[in-house]
Amino acid sequence: MPHFVIDCSKNVLAQHDEKSVISGVHKVAFSTGLFDEGDIKVRVNAFDTFLVGGQTSDFIHVFAHIMEGRNIDQKAMLSHEIVKHLVSLYPSVNNIAMNIYDFEKATYCNRAMLIAT
């Protein structure tokens, strides 16, 4: 936790490789002070086939899944900082966005939690 899933058109990875995009988002997420570095997970889904507004315009959209408990201002700052970073990498990509989903602590489970019970 947290998970940052980056959906994008495959063309954008021709400008910056997948590893640099992932490490950049990781670095920005950590710099916000909202997460422990070892907990941040980032991955990319690149698409060959897509439509944006009925056209094949390049796009980047980050879906963040984080544990509940951060306030609206913290989540807005996180979105702003990651989108700002991506815009600096891809100034010619007009479709860059992000949204955040909260995990409920009561329903979250991972492997380490199974061992603890």
Side-chain angles (χ1 to χ4, degrees):
M1 187 86 48
H3 296 268
F4 295 91
V5 181
I6 305 165
D7 283 359
C8 65
S9 51
K10 198 171 225 173
N11 296 336
V12 301
L13 297 178
Q15 297 173 48
H16 299 282
D17 67 84
E18 207 169 312
K19 283 186 177 184
S20 67
V21 174
I22 288 171
S23 66
V25 168
H26 178 98
K27 182 179 176 180
V28 172
F30 179 62
S31 75
T32 65
L34 297 175
F35 314 107
D36 292 332
E37 187 170 23
D39 293 338
I40 300 168
K41 298 157 190 79
V42 185
R43 55 193 175 272
V44 172
N45 295 312
F47 294 89
D48 286 319
T49 308
F50 57 89
L51 287 176
V52 176
Q55 300 177 26
T56 55
S57 300
D58 286 332
F59 74 96
I60 303 169
H61 192 101
V62 181
F63 298 90
H65 303 271
I66 67 173
M67 185 61 71
E68 66 184 344
R70 277 81 179 189
N71 65 42
I72 294 295
D73 291 337
Q74 290 171 317
K75 291 187 276 188
M77 178 266 299
L78 174 63
S79 289
H80 182 269
E81 291 303 312
I82 289 178
V83 169
K84 184 171 74 172
H85 169 72
L86 291 169
V87 167
S88 74
L89 286 180
Y90 297 100
S92 65
V93 176
N94 292 323
N95 300 295
I96 300 176
M98 178 173 169
N99 61 296
I100 298 174
Y101 299 100
D102 286 339
F103 279 101
E104 292 178 341
K105 189 171 187 154
T107 61
Y108 178 76
C109 184
N110 66 25
R111 183 184 181 110
M113 294 165 78
L114 292 176
I115 296 167
T117 59

